Amino acid sequence: MEKRILTLLFLGFWVLGNSQDSKPIYPNFVGQNLSSIENNSDWKILQKSSGDLNKDGLIDCAIILESKDSIPIKECSDCKLLKNKPRIILVVLNQNGNETAIIQNNKFIALGDQGGMLPYLEPELSIENGLLTIFYQFTRSNQSYTFEFDNNQMVIVKAESNGVESASGNFENDKYDFKKGEIISKTGNISQEKVLTEIIKFDAKPKSLSEFGEMSEWEVAENKYL
């Protein structure tokens, strides 16, 4: 009897421990039409941008959803489970009048409390000339990612990082070109005209939006993260 009780206690602690490490279950929006996504009772549209992504003359859209309720999530691999409002990015194609989600990423969009000194971080979405851009404005820096539709995926074609140190005034600007496989990196000081420009070559394969993990974890070149 004592052995059975110990076994049951062990199983109970094992289940509890694993449940705390488990990731939240996100709804699968791929295949759903735009109307059902917009009317989902648990998720709200945080950002939406429209434009022709696959150059077929029809208007598509990209959407960032945010959970209406806070749920336990891990904001990093070593972090504890904390309640927050997760975000999802979707790409919705207009296929002969049927607006259907074809791409979903549950990890890439930064959360509201991940803006450093900002009290609340909200990304911006834009679609121009068939390109989808995700833009973040932080207190003294900004970050953008630009994707192009290719073979039913949104593949990164360029990105840009800008940052200024408050104490020194030193700045850094990195422009990533994935078609050329190079980063044009400029450094200097806001009080001086002299700017140092360096071209950094890289061989990292362009990722699709579906392949991106958490923001800033992909090392494209040495000490250059997206």
Side-chain angles (χ1 to χ4, degrees):
M1 177 63 72
E2 184 179 349
K3 193 172 184 180
R4 287 183 62 190
I5 292 173
L6 289 172
T7 301
L8 289 171
L9 284 173
F10 172 78
L11 288 172
F13 284 124
W14 183 86
V15 170
L16 180 61
N18 279 275
S19 65
Q20 290 178 341
D21 289 335
S22 62
K23 294 181 180 179
I25 298 174
Y26 292 83
N28 182 12
F29 289 103
V30 173
Q32 291 191 30
N33 61 49
L34 181 59
S35 177
S36 65
I37 295 169
E38 291 175 331
N39 293 313
N40 188 285
S41 60
D42 297 321
W43 295 77
K44 69 176 183 179
I45 292 180
L46 188 67
Q47 286 282 325
K48 180 181 178 182
S49 183
S50 299
D52 185 3
L53 288 172
N54 57 351
K55 299 179 181 178
D56 63 354
L58 301 176
I59 299 301
D60 313 302
C61 68
I63 300 171
I64 292 177
L65 300 175
E66 184 177 72
S67 174
K68 292 181 180 179
D69 296 323
S70 295
I71 61 176
I73 59 174
K74 275 191 171 185
E75 295 188 20
C76 68
S77 58
D78 296 326
C79 296
K80 294 181 179 179
L81 279 172
L82 296 174
K83 283 194 171 184
N84 210 327
K85 292 184 176 182
R87 292 171 173 177
I88 293 172
I89 185 167
L90 301 174
V91 174
V92 178
L93 284 193
N94 187 335
Q95 299 169 319
N96 297 319
N98 185 18
E99 297 172 296
T100 306
I102 66 161
I103 295 170
Q104 174 172 339
N105 187 308
N106 302 334
K107 298 179 180 179
F108 184 47
I109 301 300
L111 305 183
D113 64 355
Q114 294 179 331
M117 290 183 290
L118 282 178
Y120 179 74
L121 176 65
E122 184 171 327
E124 298 175 22
L125 283 181
S126 63
I127 297 176
E128 294 182 9
N129 300 319
L131 300 177
L132 167 65
T133 297
I134 305 168
F135 177 82
Y136 294 91
Q137 180 63 57
F138 300 93
T139 304
R140 286 187 290 272
S141 64
N142 57 63
Q143 177 70 57
S144 67
Y145 304 82
T146 299
F147 299 84
E148 183 178 50
F149 190 79
D150 183 22
N151 196 26
N152 289 321
Q153 289 290 337
M154 297 301 299
V155 179
I156 191 165
V157 290
K158 60 183 179 178
E160 184 170 350
S161 303
N162 290 286
V164 180
E165 293 180 0
S166 59
S168 65
N170 292 334
F171 71 84
E172 183 172 5
N173 168 259
D174 291 328
K175 292 183 178 179
Y176 297 73
D177 188 326
F178 284 88
K179 293 188 176 181
K180 293 182 178 179
E182 67 180 27
I183 304 167
I184 299 178
S185 182
K186 295 183 178 182
T187 55
N189 190 282
I190 56 175
S191 63
Q192 301 174 3
E193 292 185 5
K194 184 179 179 181
V195 175
L196 177 64
T197 301
E198 180 184 9
I199 296 178
I200 303 168
K201 295 291 185 178
F202 65 85
D203 56 8
K205 179 184 176 182
K207 283 188 177 184
S208 70
L209 179 56
S210 300
E211 294 175 311
F212 267 83
E214 295 174 359
M215 183 179 171
S216 301
E217 74 171 13
W218 180 26
E219 189 173 17
V220 179
E222 187 176 1
N223 296 323
K224 300 293 182 183
Y225 292 87
L226 288 177

